[in-house]
Amino acid sequence: MIEHPESLLKDKEHIDDLERNGYGIIQRKDGFCFGMDAVLLSGFAQVKEGENVLDLGTGTGIIPILLEAKTKGRRFTGLEIQEEVADMARRSVCLNQLEEKVEIVLGDIKEAGELFPRSSFDVVTSNPPYIRDDHGLKNPEIRKAVSRHEILCTLDDVVREAAKLVKPGGRFYLVHRPQRLMEIITAMKQVKLEPKRLKFVHPFIDREANMVLIEAVRGGGAMVKVEKPVIVFRKPGVYTEEIREIYGY
């Protein structure tokens, strides 16, 4: 981390400790902050030594920064459409002195296949908006609304562009809501992304899943493994050991 991190902050911003490699991330007190879903995705995604990774809809850059800390990947790129949020992500890259390994690109997920060379990434990840644009109440704070609702891109957009950019045999990692699982699998199969691993996330051992982690392989065979689920809390306010390990506590 740079010597005087406060020099990178703007009004209403603060630095959160990521508990990894001494890294921090810049966030706004009144804006959308990264959640457990992004951290879980960074623990689920498998990045091999020397691989190049693209994160679609990177927000404040949490997934590229965590994957750089956790893996031996060569290069990590985050694509973000909101200029103010992309600027925050770039300053987090500078904060952690990762300019040689992490790049934040301003652009639209719907045009990702034109922004980068086709089939140029070994791994593509995404923690996209979960809620259809016509469902649910939208947050009046636009950054939060864009992060949660399909205002600027849909599930089909994310899956389609991921398929264009991941190499044949490469992996696409997605975190989403279980109630949209069949829709997700259908969208993936339409663009030759074959689901290979599923992991459900439950808030407590006796509660139904509220997240699902999916690995799909471009051009993979039709066989899927459902892995042991993740349980978030042992009891209210107390994380399980698995969650503590993923967070680096």
Side-chain angles (χ1 to χ4, degrees):
M1 193 180 289
I2 65 168
E3 187 174 350
H4 298 290
E6 65 280 356
S7 65
L8 292 171
L9 296 179
K10 295 184 178 180
D11 186 40
K12 297 183 181 179
E13 292 180 347
H14 65 283
I15 296 171
D16 281 338
D17 185 356
L18 292 180
E19 306 284 347
R20 292 276 178 177
N21 296 16
Y23 291 172
I25 192 161
I26 297 170
Q27 303 199 92
R28 277 182 65 96
K29 294 179 175 67
D30 60 347
F32 182 81
C33 296
F34 76 86
M36 180 173 287
D37 41 10
V39 178
L40 289 172
L41 185 62
S42 75
F44 181 74
Q46 297 177 351
V47 179
K48 300 172 186 175
E49 185 171 358
E51 289 190 326
N52 293 315
V53 181
L54 171 66
D55 184 44
L56 295 173
T58 200
T60 54
I62 180 64
I63 291 174
I65 290 171
L66 283 177
L67 286 177
E68 193 284 330
K70 295 178 178 183
T71 75
K72 295 183 178 180
R74 186 174 75 87
R75 184 83 179 166
F76 303 85
T77 303
L79 179 66
E80 173 55 43
I81 193 171
Q82 298 182 84
E83 189 169 358
E84 183 181 355
V85 180
D87 172 67
M88 199 181 307
R90 289 193 184 106
R91 286 183 283 118
S92 286
V93 171
C94 294
L95 172 72
N96 299 301
Q97 299 178 303
L98 294 175
E99 295 93 334
E100 296 301 313
K101 293 195 70 178
V102 180
E103 179 185 15
I104 305 299
V105 175
L106 182 66
D108 190 339
I109 284 177
K110 297 192 297 293
E111 300 169 358
E114 311 307 319
L115 295 172
F116 305 99
R118 300 289 181 100
S119 304
S120 58
F121 293 94
D122 303 285
V123 173
V124 175
T125 61
S126 188
N127 175 20
Y130 296 147
I131 307 169
R132 293 187 185 93
D133 189 30
D134 58 350
H135 286 197
L137 294 172
K138 292 188 181 70
N139 194 295
E141 211 291 314
I142 186 60
R143 288 171 298 233
K144 292 183 180 180
V146 165
S147 298
R148 293 168 179 167
H149 283 78
E150 293 180 340
I151 295 171
L152 299 181
C153 70
T154 65
L155 172 63
D156 284 341
D157 293 330
V158 174
V159 173
R160 181 191 67 243
E161 298 306 303
K164 292 177 183 178
L165 293 168
V166 72
K167 295 177 179 179
R171 283 106 52 216
F172 173 45
Y173 295 96
L174 181 75
V175 59
H176 218 288
R177 292 289 185 243
Q179 52 266 44
R180 298 188 69 182
L181 181 57
M182 294 312 299
E183 183 184 350
I184 292 165
I185 291 174
T186 299
M188 287 180 168
K189 283 181 169 288
Q190 286 176 344
V191 291
K192 305 290 193 296
L193 288 171
E194 191 66 39
K196 303 301 291 180
R197 294 167 56 216
L198 296 178
K199 184 184 280 286
F200 291 93
V201 181
H202 300 251
F204 294 93
I205 196 167
D206 60 347
R207 302 275 182 87
E208 64 181 38
N210 59 359
M211 282 185 271
V212 61
L213 298 156
I214 306 169
E215 176 193 84
V217 173
R218 182 179 166 193
M223 183 176 289
V224 63
K225 177 183 179 183
V226 180
E227 298 186 345
K228 179 183 175 183
V230 176
I231 310 300
V232 176
F233 294 106
R234 273 196 301 119
K235 57 184 180 181
V238 180
Y239 287 142
T240 60
E241 287 305 312
E242 182 175 9
I243 293 296
R244 292 176 64 83
E245 183 178 336
I246 291 170
Y247 268 90
Y249 293 157

